[in-house]
Amino acid sequence: MRRAAAATAAVVLLLAGCTDGTSGPTQPTSSTSTPAASPTTSDPTTAPADPSPTSASPTDSSMGPPGTTTPPAGPTASPSSPTPDDVDPALHPWQTGPTRQDPPAGAPAVGQEIVGVRVGLHDGYDRVVLDLSGSDPILGWFAGFTDEAVQDPTGEPMDVEGDAFLQLGVFGIDWTTDAPDRYSGAPVDGEGLEVVKEVVFGGLFEAQQQILVGLDDETAYRVFALSDPARIVVDIQHD
C-alpha cells in the first residue's frame, strides 16, 4: 500500500509541473552567434578600374599639362629647302671654275663643326653632303679643281682614288679645340656612284678643313648650303 501511494504522489507532482502556466517545457536559448560573413573576393573575370592619372614630378613646363607626355621633337624639314632633284639652277648653276662662298653676314668667326659625310647617286649627278652641327650653316667655303692631291699645309702627297680632284676648303671651324662631335676624317668610298671615287679629308689648319673629292674626270659641279639641319652640298655632274 505504501508503495502504491508513493507512486500516486509522484504522478500528481509530475502533472502539476507540466501544467504550470505553460504549454510545455521551456526550450534553452542558444548562445551561439551568427558566423561572420566570408571575406569579399574580386571576380577574376572583372577588369580592375584604371588608376587615376598622376602628374609628372618634378613639374616641367616643357612636358605639357600634368598626366600628359610630350614626344621629343624631331628635325623639321625646311619648306624652302630644295629636294635633291629640285635645285634652282639660277641660284646654284653648274660650273667648272673656282667658286667661293663667305659665311653669312653676322655669323661668328668659328663655332660650327663638320659632323658627318654622306654620298649618293642621283639622276645626272653624284652628291656629297657635309653634315654640320646646328640648324643653319655659318661656315664658308671655296672649291676648285687641282692637279695633284696634296695635303694642306704640309705639301705631302695624299692617297686619294681618282684621276681628277675637286678640292674644297671649308672655313670657320674652331680648329684650336677637339670637338667631340667633329667628323673623324675617315675616307668615304664612292662605290656605286658614277663619277665620285672617294672623299678624303686633308689637314685642319687655321680654322679651315681641306677636303678632296677624287673623280673619274673633271666635270661640272655646284656647291651650296642648306638648313634644318645645316649642311653643305656638293653635286658633281655625270660625264
Side-chain angles (χ1 to χ4, degrees), residues 95-115:
Q95 47 200 316
T96 56
T99 62
R100 179 184 176 92
Q101 176 65 56
D102 290 328
V110 293
Q112 194 164 56
E113 297 288 339
I114 300 173
V115 298

Side-chain angles (χ1 to χ4, degrees), residues 135-168:
S135 297
D136 297 309
I138 61 174
L139 300 180
W141 69 83
F142 63 83
F145 288 103
T146 182
D147 294 332
E148 296 181 306
V150 177
Q151 187 174 34
D152 183 26
T154 64
E156 296 292 329
M158 293 175 60
D159 185 12
V160 183
E161 186 177 353
D163 296 322
F165 309 101
L166 178 64
Q167 179 170 245
L168 286 84

